[in-house]
Amino acid sequence: MAPYTAYSLICLGFLLLVFCFDVKAETSEDCKGREKLCSRGMAGEGFCYNEDESDCCGGRVFAKTAGSGCCVNVWNMTARVYSHERQFCCNGTVYSSGSLDCCADVVFNTSTQVCCQGKIQKFTKGAMCCGTELKMEGQVCCSPQHQPRYAKVYNMPKENFICCGNGYINRTEYYCDFATYQPMKICSNNSVHKCCGNEAYDPRKATCCNKKVFHGKSEHWETGDGYVINHICCGGVPQSVNEEICCELRVHNRTATSQCCGTESIDTDEKVCCNGRPFKKHSKYKTKCCSDRGYYEDGEHLCCGEHEARRSVLYNVSTSDNTAKCCNTALFNSTESICCGGEVMKKMKKEDDSCCQVHTRYQTYNSKYYLCEKQGLVAKASHRQQCGRGRTIDTRGQLCCRGMIHPKPSSAIKCCGTKTFNSSNPQLLCQFGSLVKRPPRQLQQGQPNYRQRCGRHMFDTRRELCCRGVKYAKKSDAMKCCGTRLYNSSDPELTCQFGIRLQQMPKIGERQS
Ligand SMILES: *[C@@H]1O[C@H](CO)[C@@H](O)[C@H](O)[C@H]1NC(C)=O
Ligand SMILES: *[C@@H]1O[C@H](CO)[C@@H](O)[C@H](O)[C@H]1NC(C)=O
Ligand SMILES: *[C@@H]1O[C@H](CO)[C@@H](O)[C@H](O)[C@H]1NC(C)=O
Ligand SMILES: *[C@@H]1O[C@H](CO)[C@@H](O)[C@H](O)[C@H]1NC(C)=O
Ligand SMILES: *[C@@H]1O[C@H](CO)[C@@H](O)[C@H](O)[C@H]1NC(C)=O
Ligand SMILES: *[C@@H]1O[C@H](CO)[C@@H](O)[C@H](O)[C@H]1NC(C)=O
Ligand SMILES: *[C@@H]1O[C@H](CO)[C@@H](O)[C@H](O)[C@H]1NC(C)=O
Ligand SMILES: *[C@@H]1O[C@H](CO)[C@@H](O)[C@H](O)[C@H]1NC(C)=O
Ligand SMILES: *[C@@H]1O[C@H](CO)[C@@H](O)[C@H](O)[C@H]1NC(C)=O
Ligand SMILES: *[C@@H]1O[C@H](CO)[C@@H](O)[C@H](O)[C@H]1NC(C)=O
């Protein structure tokens, strides 16, 4: 029987693909247009038929009617046409319908039996199928979603019990996690259940605060791609993230402009928060913070040490007093003192305007007459000049080029960037801080220098124009540069703006006149 069955199954496949053996030995290539092959055997041969008019059933063609089907018997490789209206096909055999029907290849009597998910059950009044079983009145059927075949019947509906998959569970003892359940008391940190003290809870349905579960307040709610935080714990109180704000463990109502300020919640339209202390905003002046104190930029306040926000100190100053200055966090009178290395120092002389560090001590001085050098204050001679921090040069023999000290053997030596060059050398030219070699052709002495650089080329200023590195022949003085291009500046309809040559629109009045 076994090899026969195998053969039958293969041939059924062939029947569906409409390939089979036929005495006329036509193949699918012989069938044209609306024709199909009705095959008889395994060789992919049969005969052609018109699929608009007929259907093929086991190597035989029958007229196409809406109510007919083909009943294939896979056990002995036969097929029969039958009428849906009066007959049915069950396990390859055609039966007359009436009180009979087919239940998973087995015939049953519909007046005495029911078919429950492929299993025949005795017909009972008031009963319903529950999976493959029958559910009587007063019983509970727990059916897993999308898997009705595995539904199970439970005898008594019980209070506080719920279906979980096909299980029926006491919800105070178990958690239902989609179709599987687990005891409540066992706390495990799996993907869904988290521990709250020793209790397990579902963060989507409850919030854990201080090792206590708050039911009905969910930390999260499910979205398409994950969870969104909805509730969090705020000082032992579950708090709605959308409606409330948690400020250092205190819950406050939330508005669009709410912000925590210490334990308080402030309206940012009305107040600023200065290191945890709220301060009312001014309608006219800008409100700022100085450490934990708020102030208005009204010219009456000075905040010293703003860079160290937590230690800055706020001072009241009078608007007329512009001698008040900050020295770190201290306020000082700049007519009497100077801020030296972060410390206020009384001026040694009234005219002192700078301070100089000599070893570890500071000294105030007048920069008009003194220079601060490593060894201390040096009387300023006309030939002394500061070059960088704490360094001076003698301008009689030295040059300071952007903070770099160079010897100056002659006055012809000049700075070019941080370097020096011999300005008497006609071959050398300093452009934008770097040395350029002049081409020798233009070196005829005594002649005005008409040759100038235009981008990477030279041009003659008498005959040519250079527009941002592009050379043009100079035809008339009216032609001017506009960006890299030329335009006729005498033409009243043309203007040059931002290097773009514009066609000027004639004014309406001009057009009418
Ligand atoms: C095949 O089986 C069906 C049902 O068992 C039977 O009615 C039919 O006569 C059989 N055909 C052959 C050719 O054995
Ligand atoms: C279907 O028919 C075959 C052959 O007659 C038989 O062996 C098989 O048990 C039948 N299947 C069922 C489910 O009755
Ligand atoms: C179906 O069952 C009813 C009631 O037992 C009986 O009268 C009837 O003959 C049965 N039908 C068939 C086709 O066996
Ligand atoms: C459900 O579980 C709770 C807690 O264990 C228990 O008190 C209750 O009796 C159970 N309910 C039923 C119907 O068994
Ligand atoms: C579960 O996770 C929490 C928080 O991560 C942790 O404090 C607790 O110890 C974990 N419990 C178990 C049983 O793993
Ligand atoms: C917070 O909102 C609730 C509900 O809208 C309201 O009853 C309560 O008075 C509000 N509390 C404060 C402090 O505004
Ligand atoms: C600064 O002025 C405010 C009023 O603008 C006043 O309340 C405060 O006491 C004053 N502070 C000092 C140190 O004078
Ligand atoms: C600063 O010092 C000058 C001169 O001693 C004095 O006139 C002025 O009032 C002082 N300013 C303040 C704010 O004390
Ligand atoms: C500078 O150049 C001139 C002319 O080439 C030359 O006479 C003079 O010696 C140069 N000076 C130095 C310091 O190189
Ligand atoms: C420039 O424009 C003026 C006025 O339109 C015209 O007379 C002159 O010929 C133009 N010059 C050139 C070089 O096109």
Side-chain angles (χ1 to χ4, degrees), residues 317-318 321 323-324 331-336:
V317 291
S318 91
D321 182 20
T323 59
L331 188 75
F332 73 100
N333 185 337
S334 62
T335 53
E336 294 172 339

Side-chain angles (χ1 to χ4, degrees), residues 286-406:
K286 199 172 171 198
T287 308
K288 292 182 87 178
C289 289
C290 189
S291 190
D292 62 348
R293 293 183 59 191
Y295 70 100
Y296 307 122
E297 270 194 338
D298 54 2
E300 306 273 325
H301 297 92
L302 200 57
C303 179
C304 290
E306 273 178 303
H307 310 295
E308 300 161 80
R310 281 189 183 274
R311 294 197 326 163
S312 52
V313 181
L314 187 66
Y315 296 94
N316 286 356
V317 291
S318 91
T319 18
S320 55
D321 182 20
N322 53 10
T323 59
K325 297 256 160 70
C326 288
C327 185
N328 264 347
T329 55
L331 188 75
F332 73 100
N333 185 337
S334 62
T335 53
E336 294 172 339
S337 309
I338 292 179
C339 183
C340 288
E343 300 271 326
V344 178
M345 267 196 81
K346 212 147 187 94
K347 284 182 184 176
M348 291 156 101
K349 291 209 187 91
K350 239 177 93 185
E351 299 79 24
D352 287 355
D353 59 1
S354 306
C355 70
C356 181
Q357 187 180 10
V358 184
H359 306 297
T360 55
R361 290 186 51 240
Y362 284 94
Q363 206 176 340
T364 67
Y365 71 99
N366 187 337
S367 61
K368 214 165 149 191
Y369 307 113
Y370 294 95
L371 286 166
C372 176
E373 293 194 0
K374 271 201 184 112
Q375 66 273 24
L377 289 176
V378 175
K380 212 172 182 177
S382 56
H383 53 79
R384 292 199 74 83
Q385 185 196 326
Q386 193 108 21
C387 186
R389 271 189 72 184
R391 292 186 305 177
T392 51
I393 55 160
D394 187 330
T395 55
R396 290 170 297 189
Q398 287 175 304
L399 252 186
C400 178
C401 299
R402 291 193 188 164
M404 302 291 285
I405 300 169
H406 296 279

Side-chain angles (χ1 to χ4, degrees), residues 99-100 109 111-112:
S99 57
L100 297 182
N109 187 334
S111 50
T112 55

